[in-house]
Amino acid sequence: MTDQPTPTSSVPELFTWEFATDPYPAYAWLREHAPVHRTKLPSGVEAWLVTRYADAKQALADQRLSKNPAHHDEPAHAKGKTGIPGERKAELMTHLLNIDPPDHTRLRRLVSKAFTPRRVAEFAPRVQELTDDLIDAFVEKGSADLIHDFAFPLPIYTICDLLGVPREDQDDFRDWAGMMIRHGGGPRGGVARSVKKMRGYLAELIHRKRAALPAESAAGEDLISGLIRASDHGEHLTENEAAAMAFILLFAGFETTVNLIGNGTYALLTHPDQRARLQRSLAAGERGLLETGIEELLRYDGPVELATWRFATRPVSIGGQDIAAGDPVLVVLAAADRDPERFADPDVLDLSRSDNQHLGYGHGIHYCLGAPLARLEGQSALGTLLTRLPDLRLAVDSADLRWRGGLIMRGLRTLPVEFTPRGRAPHLRKGDTPSNL
């Protein structure tokens, strides 16, 4: 056991704009010299960063590390710095990212039926329709910002459809979600205001759906209706819990996919050999390389840089480092997934990598519930982009791109691209994919 502090003079500077552009050299240093490292975050909160794969996997599954912010040992004013701005005042704290068993087990069971492989497969035609509609909106122009025009709206509209948000209200959700992912780039207090507006809307929507709920569920029933039905049939789901569940599925379910599509497209555009391999595979009507490729993109430069907050409920040792009760712990997924002790040539992008048990969607009981849907969206988005826009290219130098300055997520602010203008997609028949049209 050790509790020796790392000399601050030798630690790379963290959480700067330069670090956000390429954090991987700093993470490599931490893995080697200070794999469990205590640091002060930009918010002023001190937390432990866990950077090695084996330690990260242990921490993600360790139930002594609670998701409940009540276990944080700092004063109450600091606790608001460890979650989503505004969620406490909006009474949206009771969601899967903030609770432990047995409540976590109960709530996860209620919502998990919406993300079964069968349910996600049934949703595939709608995801493909949305994908083509969004590309159709800019395909004739010869240029686009792939974040604003494509990667951002696709998961927003997808998760809204899944939740049962009426089409006429979905642009409001797009506006609120846009404010929520700006982090420091929007007006002061903008995130909290958007959270409050979303909370008010969800409360009203739940009320309307409950009043109109049919006696029996139908195939493909939307998720909010399913949550209401469960709460009305002995599962004891309160209205606050239903609203918080819908909120976190939207919040956690869209930004990860925005970043998967944005980071993944950028990685392919800057690795032309891998991009060419994938395009040849898609042209041949094959899906295998696309499926393994999505996993590799999740590992190589994934959408979630740090796992969400955990708090030690009692003294615990991780990687030989003693951590006191009440201390926050942040598992650095981006560092763990580049650990040479676990992955051969971890800094190399290899779309055919087979031994790829990455931690991009977490591990243990908090493994990302929406991972199957995110994978579907990622495959649809990247496969369709590379098929319909085969000469897609960056419209700016990589050095001109800017990454959003958040703590948990990793994603580009914009991704300007150019391509040869093309026609809109033909109408998809049932069973069609872009590769067999």
Side-chain angles (χ1 to χ4, degrees), residues 282 285 387 428-429 431-437:
L282 292 169
T387 301
L428 287 178
R429 301 179 303 275
D432 278 338
T433 66
S435 61
N436 65 20
L437 288 172

CSV table of all heavy atoms in Angstrom, one decimal, residues 282 285 387 428-429 431-437:
chain,number,residue,atom,x,y,z
A,282,LEU,N,-17.8,-2.4,-47.3
A,282,LEU,CA,-19.2,-2.0,-47.5
A,282,LEU,C,-19.6,-2.2,-48.9
A,282,LEU,O,-20.8,-2.6,-49.2
A,282,LEU,CB,-19.4,-0.5,-47.0
A,282,LEU,CG,-19.2,-0.2,-45.5
A,282,LEU,CD1,-19.1,1.3,-45.3
A,282,LEU,CD2,-20.3,-0.9,-44.7
A,285,GLY,N,-20.8,-5.4,-49.7
A,285,GLY,CA,-22.0,-5.9,-49.0
A,285,GLY,C,-21.7,-6.6,-47.7
A,285,GLY,O,-22.6,-7.3,-47.2
A,387,THR,N,-20.7,5.2,-47.7
A,387,THR,CA,-21.3,4.7,-48.9
A,387,THR,C,-21.9,5.8,-49.8
A,387,THR,O,-21.6,5.8,-51.0
A,387,THR,CB,-22.5,3.7,-48.6
A,387,THR,OG1,-21.9,2.6,-47.8
A,387,THR,CG2,-23.1,3.1,-49.8
A,428,LEU,N,-36.1,3.7,-49.3
A,428,LEU,CA,-35.7,2.3,-48.8
A,428,LEU,C,-36.9,1.4,-48.7
A,428,LEU,O,-37.9,1.8,-48.1
A,428,LEU,CB,-35.0,2.4,-47.4
A,428,LEU,CG,-33.6,3.0,-47.4
A,428,LEU,CD1,-33.1,3.1,-46.0
A,428,LEU,CD2,-32.7,2.2,-48.3
A,429,ARG,N,-36.8,0.2,-49.3
A,429,ARG,CA,-37.8,-0.8,-49.1
A,429,ARG,C,-37.4,-1.6,-47.8
A,429,ARG,O,-36.3,-1.6,-47.4
A,429,ARG,CB,-37.9,-1.7,-50.3
A,429,ARG,CG,-38.2,-1.0,-51.6
A,429,ARG,CD,-38.3,-2.0,-52.7
A,429,ARG,NE,-37.0,-2.7,-52.9
A,429,ARG,CZ,-36.0,-2.2,-53.6
A,429,ARG,NH1,-36.0,-1.0,-54.1
A,429,ARG,NH2,-34.9,-2.9,-53.7
A,431,GLY,N,-36.0,-4.2,-45.6
A,431,GLY,CA,-34.9,-5.1,-45.8
A,431,GLY,C,-33.7,-4.5,-46.6
A,431,GLY,O,-32.6,-5.1,-46.6
A,432,ASP,N,-33.9,-3.3,-47.1
A,432,ASP,CA,-32.8,-2.7,-47.9
A,432,ASP,C,-31.8,-2.0,-46.9
A,432,ASP,O,-32.2,-1.5,-45.8
A,432,ASP,CB,-33.3,-1.6,-48.8
A,432,ASP,CG,-33.8,-2.1,-50.1
A,432,ASP,OD1,-33.4,-3.3,-50.5
A,432,ASP,OD2,-34.7,-1.5,-50.8
A,433,THR,N,-30.6,-2.0,-47.3
A,433,THR,CA,-29.6,-1.1,-46.6
A,433,THR,C,-28.9,-0.4,-47.7
A,433,THR,O,-29.0,-0.7,-48.9
A,433,THR,CB,-28.5,-2.0,-45.9
A,433,THR,OG1,-27.8,-2.8,-46.9
A,433,THR,CG2,-29.2,-3.0,-44.9
A,434,PRO,N,-28.1,0.7,-47.4
A,434,PRO,CA,-27.5,1.5,-48.4
A,434,PRO,C,-26.5,0.6,-49.3
A,434,PRO,O,-26.3,0.9,-50.4
A,434,PRO,CB,-26.7,2.5,-47.6
A,434,PRO,CG,-27.5,2.7,-46.4
A,434,PRO,CD,-28.0,1.3,-46.1
A,435,SER,N,-26.0,-0.5,-48.7
A,435,SER,CA,-25.0,-1.2,-49.5
A,435,SER,C,-25.6,-2.2,-50.5
A,435,SER,O,-24.9,-2.7,-51.3
A,435,SER,CB,-24.1,-2.0,-48.5
A,435,SER,OG,-24.9,-2.9,-47.8
A,436,ASN,N,-27.0,-2.4,-50.4
A,436,ASN,CA,-27.5,-3.3,-51.4
A,436,ASN,C,-28.5,-2.6,-52.3
A,436,ASN,O,-29.3,-3.3,-53.1
A,436,ASN,CB,-28.2,-4.5,-50.7
A,436,ASN,CG,-29.4,-4.2,-49.9
A,436,ASN,OD1,-30.0,-3.1,-50.0
A,436,ASN,ND2,-29.8,-5.0,-49.0
A,437,LEU,N,-28.5,-1.3,-52.3
A,437,LEU,CA,-29.4,-0.5,-53.2
A,437,LEU,C,-28.7,-0.4,-54.6
A,437,LEU,O,-27.5,-0.3,-54.6
A,437,LEU,CB,-29.7,0.9,-52.7
A,437,LEU,CG,-30.7,0.9,-51.5
A,437,LEU,CD1,-30.7,2.3,-50.9
A,437,LEU,CD2,-32.0,0.5,-51.9
